[in-house]
Amino acid sequence: MRFRLVPRDEGFFALFNKTAENAAAVAALVHEALGRLPDVAAVAEKVLELEDRGDQLRRQIFTALDTAIVTPLDREDIHALAEGFDRAVDNMSAAVDLIRLHQVSEPVEGVAEFGQLLVAAADAAVRATANLERLRDMQADLEIIDDIETRGDHLFRETTALLFSGAFKAFTVLKWKDVVESLEAALNAFESTADVITSIALKHS
C-alpha cells in the first residue's frame, strides 16, 4: 500500500480561482454602476446574480472542506480565504443595491475612485490567488492590495469629510454615507484575503 505524504488538492485551488474571478467581475460592475448614475438597475441585477454565484462557490468550498480527509492548506486558512472573498462581494453588492434603493442620481467627488480601487484590488487578488498553488510570485500583488487599501482609507476619510462639509442636503449625505461605508468595507475585505494569502505563504516558506 502506498501512502501520499503531500496532501493532494481536491479542487480547492480551482474553486479559489473561480471565487476570486467572480469577485473581480463584481468589482467591474461596481465601477460601471458608479459611472452611470442613476441608471444602475440592470447592473444591480447582474451584481445580485454574481453574489449568488459567489455564495454557491463558498458552499462548494465548505462542502469540500467538510468531506476532505486531508487538505492542501490549513483548514482555517481555506475557511478565512473563502469568507474574505464573500465579504468583499457582499459589501460591493450592498453598495450597488443601496444606490438603486436610495435612487442616488448625482455622483459625489471621489466616489468614482472607489470603483477604480476595487477593480485594481480585485484584479491583484485574482493574480495572487492564481499563484497560490505554486506559492510563488504573489508578493507584488499582495503589496498592491495593501497599498490600495491604504489609499481606500484616505479616500474614505476625504469623502466622508466632503459629505459632512455642509455642501450637500441631509438626504444626499445619508444616502452616500451608507454606500461609501460599503465600498470601503469591500476594500478592507480584499485586504483580509491578501493577509490570509500572506499567512499561507509564510507557513509554507
Side-chain angles (χ1 to χ4, degrees):
M1 179 179 295
R2 296 180 61 187
F3 293 93
R4 185 167 56 246
L5 297 178
V6 178
R8 190 180 69 184
D9 175 36
E10 301 291 347
F12 284 102
F13 292 110
L15 288 170
F16 292 152
N17 288 332
K18 290 179 181 177
T19 301
E21 290 164 2
N22 188 68
V26 175
L29 288 172
V30 172
H31 188 208
E32 180 181 346
L34 292 172
R36 59 185 300 170
L37 298 173
D39 182 21
V40 300
V43 175
E45 188 173 338
K46 292 178 184 175
V47 169
L48 285 176
E49 291 173 3
L50 292 180
E51 184 182 6
D52 287 342
R53 173 167 168 70
D55 289 340
Q56 292 170 13
L57 288 166
R58 186 185 61 158
R59 285 195 291 271
Q60 288 180 41
I61 291 171
F62 289 167
T63 298
L65 200 56
D66 288 340
T67 56
I69 297 174
V70 291
T71 55
L73 304 171
D74 287 350
R75 292 176 181 273
E76 61 267 27
D77 291 333
I78 292 173
H79 192 280
L81 194 56
E83 288 289 356
F85 279 119
D86 187 60
R87 283 197 303 277
V89 169
D90 283 351
N91 280 294
M92 289 189 289
S93 178
V96 175
D97 209 32
L98 286 168
I99 290 172
R100 180 184 66 83
L101 291 169
H102 290 333
Q103 299 180 341
V104 176
S105 58
E106 295 291 335
V108 172
E109 181 182 343
V111 168
E113 190 178 343
F114 272 110
Q116 298 167 5
L117 294 179
L118 284 167
V119 168
D123 288 347
V126 168
R127 293 191 297 271
T129 303
N131 288 320
L132 183 57
E133 186 171 11
R134 297 187 304 129
L135 291 170
R136 295 176 57 183
D137 303 325
M138 300 182 292
Q139 189 57 37
D141 287 311
L142 297 176
E143 290 176 1
I144 287 173
I145 296 170
D146 186 60
D147 289 344
I148 289 172
E149 194 279 333
T150 299
R151 175 59 193 143
D153 285 343
H154 291 300
L155 183 60
F156 175 73
R157 290 192 288 271
E158 291 167 358
T159 307
T160 302
L162 177 62
L163 285 172
F164 287 94
S165 66
F168 302 97
K169 295 180 179 178
F171 279 145
T172 300
V173 173
L174 293 174
K175 290 175 180 178
W176 272 114
K177 177 178 176 293
D178 290 344
V179 174
V180 169
E181 287 177 347
S182 293
L183 294 171
E184 201 255 349
L187 286 173
N188 290 340
F190 277 119
E191 188 195 33
S192 75
T193 64
D195 289 343
V196 174
I197 293 173
T198 299
S199 175
I200 292 170
L202 290 173
K203 287 179 183 177
H204 293 270
S205 62

